[in-house]
Structures are given as structure tokens and as C-alpha cells.
Amino acid sequence: MRIVIVGGVAAGMSAATRAKRQNPDAEVVVYERGGYISYGACGLPYVIGGEVENFEQLIARTPERMRGEGIHVRLGHDVTGVDSKAQTITVCENGGATRTEPYDRLLIATGVSPIRPDWARTDAAGVHVLRDIPDGQAIEASLKGAKRGIIVGGGYIGLELAEALHSRGLSVVLLERSPSVAGRILDPEYQQRVQGELEANDIDVRCGVTVEALTAKNGRVTGVQTDQGLLRGDVVMVAVGVRPNVGLAKSAGVKLGKTGAIRVDKHQQTNVPHIYAAGDNTESIQRVTRRHVHVPLGLTANRMGRVAGVNMAGGEAQFPGIVGSGIFKVFNLGVARTGLTQNEADALGLSAVSVDVTSTDHAGYYPDAAPIHVRLTSERGTGRLLGAQILGHPSSVKRIDVIAALLHSRGKVHDLAEVDLSYAPPFSSVWDVLLVAAGKASQAARLPKDDTSA
Ligand code: FAD
């Protein structure tokens, strides 16, 4: 049994280790076109910001260690084609000769690529995207002597980069085309709070601004031309979204879903026999809506990889789907969400109602109590939980996971109201803000649509 894996980060390496554990006799080979495997891309902004000392600390496993576990890793190997009938792949080694290699099972774990808009001068020095360790190293080198940074894009990577450049002493302008930052993550009221936190920390946030081109002198970026004028900057970070890397899958006849990512079944198997897909390039089922979605995040990639690894090696495992949880921090504000926002529920035509509760994250009399804002969204009439958003001190917003667990099992606000949550003054109030929100949501879910008294 020869198991071939394309891509050596979260999904690929999880699959490799699981496959080997499932079937120690299988030959497991990982082809990675870059120079690193098995690292936490999620930590890149924190190396740039200086909280984590260096990029090497993000690496969980090296090729040598994998060899010790009986897994062969081929760095600098770009897989350029798949012949699904012959069950072979074409591999190009370090830009040189190509060769074909056989497989019995193939995993496509090729991730996503940052979108690089078609602006003039994106090739200038000082213009960056952030996806992998070499991108991080290039940003690090660019920051030497830089005084002013421009971030294009107000999604979570743009926001984390804004904080990172600020920590490095740069003055930072953040440009966002839509009316607010975190637009695809939170409802508008909560987006405003995130923007407020950025502004309170001297980030110059400009929303409703469209970038038209970059400007450069002697091959080095000098600024950004927008529909509202020219902005000067020494470094420009482009964080305007990602696209799944599906070229290889398409060439093998693998079907994509409507999201543009790879469609798989519960076993991570594609429509082509013996070909699996996992990670950021692959769709998931959103358990709240039972729809296919493309949400490229770390735990999903690792879990999909495990499932694919077990199945490719002859075992049985199923991917349970996701509920759409995400968390990040901007300066002193933790931001967490799970399920659907009110806006997302409305767009899907669901009859949803949201309640908001603001409280303190622990007993008000205990030192350092900080505000916490919870929005709970549920289905009108049934009280089924649809989602939640939480903003507060970074140490307090992980309580979103209580809601994620209930969403996973299609729980109701009534279930949340009855959960025996832990309590002591340094951690929460006796009636935690989640329980207060659940009580309020139970009432709101019972009210007719035009009654806003909740
Ligand atoms: P990738 O990590 O993209 O790996 C795919 C690999 O495939 C790449 O190394 C690529 O070189 C290789 N490859 C592609 N095509 C080929 C080919 N043809 N031949 C050979 N090799 C190929 N997620 C969270 O959940 N929380 C966070 O806080 C978070 N923060 C993030 C911050 C940043 C800056 C970034 C960039 C990502 C963050 N993520 C976060 C997302 C998380 O890192 C990804 O979900 C995860 O890395 C996906 O793993 P993957 O294996 O699917 O894909």
C-alpha cells in the first residue's frame, strides 16, 4: 500500500501520521513544494509582532523526525499532475526534472493561496502577503527601517498584522473596502467595537476605501493609490482573502463544490476513486445549516487530515462537520464567534432573533473585572441555538466553546440556560453572562417577529 500525500502542513502531516499509525506496513510519502512541513501558520503574526521569538518555534515536526516515524518527506517537490486511471502523479523536483510516481491512495492537501489583486506594482519590494514561513521571513526583513505600514484588508489576518506592525513601532493604516472591519466575521454592532479597539490603539482605520494601485520608486513600494487619494507607506500587507488550491484536483477530474473548494464525502473521499482531499482546499458541512461551506481553519484542517489518513490506510473514520467557530484577538479585545451571525441567518432566510448582554467577565468586586459582550442568536419559535458572538478581554472569550458544543448537538437556548457552568469570583459571576443571555434568548425566541421587547 503506497499512500501519497501532496502538501505537508496541517492536513497533510496529520494524515501522514494517522495513516502510518493505522497501517504501519503502508509506505507513506509526503510531497511538499516548499521548504517546511508541519508548522503553525497561525503563529506567524506573533513572530512578526515579537511575542514569539522566531519562526523555528512554529515548527512542530521536522522531516528527520518524520523519517524516524517511517514517513518519507520530500521537500521542494511540486506535484504538477495526476493520472487517476494509471494512479500516478507527476512530480517536479526543485524546478528541475519531472518524474512519475505511483500511488494506491492519494491525498490532496494543498491548502489555499492568498489572493493577489491585479494592482500595478504588487511586485515591488515591501509588498507582502502572509501565508507561510518564507512570507513571514520576507516581512521580517522588510520591517527593518520601515516607519509606516499599510494593511489592505480588515479580516482576521489583516487585523492581526495591524497589531503586529504596531508592536514593532510602525504607524499603521488599515484600509478596508467594505463599511467596517471584520465584516464577514461579526454583526455590525460588534464590528464597530473591534474598530473602536483598533482606533484606541492608534491604528488609522479607513473603511469604504478601495485600493486602485500601489506606487513604487526604484523597485520599492512607496504607497497605495486609493479611490480617495494617495497614502504613503514603506511596507504594504495585502490580506484580502484566500483561494483554495484546486488546480491539481481539477486536473485529476475531482469535483469542486459551489464554494470553489473540493467536495468530499464524510470519509474525505472525492468523486475520483482512491483520491482524498483535506484541509483548507476542501469544503465542510456546516452542522447548523447542513450546507456545504468553505471555512479554512486550523482545527478543521488537522481533523480532516486525521480522518483521511485513517481511511486511506484501511480504517474507518468520519469527519463530523463544523459549526463555524473562530477566535482571535486585537490588542486587549478577544473576539470569538460560532455558528451564524444574525446577518448570516437573515441571508439564509432563517427566522432568527438575537439578544445582547453586556456584563463583567467575572465578579465585579474581584480585581480586573472587564466588560464582556455576548450576542446569542436563536431560531424564533423553536429556540434552537444558531450562533453566538463574544467580545471581551482575551482571557474571557473562550467561553464561546460552550455554545459551540451545544451547536454541535443542535441544542436549544433552553439547554444552555440549564447547563451547570463552573463558578468562582475570579472567573465569572454566579450567573455567568452566557446563562443571562440564554434566559433572555428563551423569552425572545417565544415572541412574534415584530415584537422587539426582548
Ligand atoms: P496549508 O497550511 O496551506 O498547507 C498546504 C501545503 O501544500 C503548503 O505548504 C503548500 O506549499 C503545499 N502545496 C500546495 N500545492 C502543492 C503541490 N502541487 N505540490 C506540493 N506541495 C503543494 N487558523 C485557525 O484556526 N486559527 C488561527 O488563529 C489561524 N491563524 C492564521 C494566521 C495566518 C497568518 C495564516 C496564514 C493562517 C491562519 N490560520 C488560522 C489558518 C491555518 O493556518 C490553516 O487552516 C492551516 O494551515 C491549513 O492547513 P492545510 O494543510 O490545509 O494547508
Side-chain angles (χ1 to χ4, degrees), residues 6-11 31-34 41-42 45 77-79 109-112 130-131 156-157 160 279-280 296-298 301:
V6 188
V9 190
Y31 294 99
E32 166 54 56
R33 71 172 158 213
C42 313
H77 283 63
D78 194 359
V79 177
T110 47
V112 291
L130 180 59
R131 180 68 214 167
Y156 80 90
I157 292 182
E160 288 178 350
D280 278 8
L297 286 174

Side-chain angles (χ1 to χ4, degrees), residues 64-139:
E64 293 70 41
R65 185 170 153 198
M66 298 319 301
R67 199 177 309 130
E69 294 179 24
I71 294 165
H72 308 283
V73 175
R74 311 266 184 261
L75 295 180
H77 283 63
D78 194 359
V79 177
T80 54
V82 179
D83 183 336
S84 60
K85 289 217 166 61
Q87 290 191 204
T88 57
I89 56 166
T90 312
V91 189
C92 174
E93 187 176 345
N94 292 317
T98 58
R99 61 177 192 271
T100 54
E101 294 275 351
Y103 68 82
D104 295 305
R105 299 285 180 276
L106 176 69
L107 176 68
I108 302 180
T110 47
V112 291
S113 291
I115 294 173
R116 294 168 192 262
D118 189 18
W119 300 322
R121 317 310 296 267
T122 46
D123 56 343
V127 181
H128 300 277
V129 294
L130 180 59
R131 180 68 214 167
D132 54 22
I133 289 180
D135 290 338
Q137 290 165 331
I139 292 173

Side-chain angles (χ1 to χ4, degrees), residues 32 37 43 69 93 146-147 188 191 229 297 315 338 353 389 403 422 428:
E32 166 54 56
I37 57 156
E69 294 179 24
E93 187 176 345
K147 293 198 165 42
Q191 296 163 11
L297 286 174
T338 188
V353 58
Q389 298 158 69
I403 315 283
S422 55
S428 75

Side-chain angles (χ1 to χ4, degrees), residues 137 139-147 168 220 235:
Q137 290 165 331
I139 292 173
E140 186 62 42
S142 253
L143 290 184
K144 294 197 175 73
K147 293 198 165 42
R168 296 290 297 270
R220 168 106 210 163
V235 286

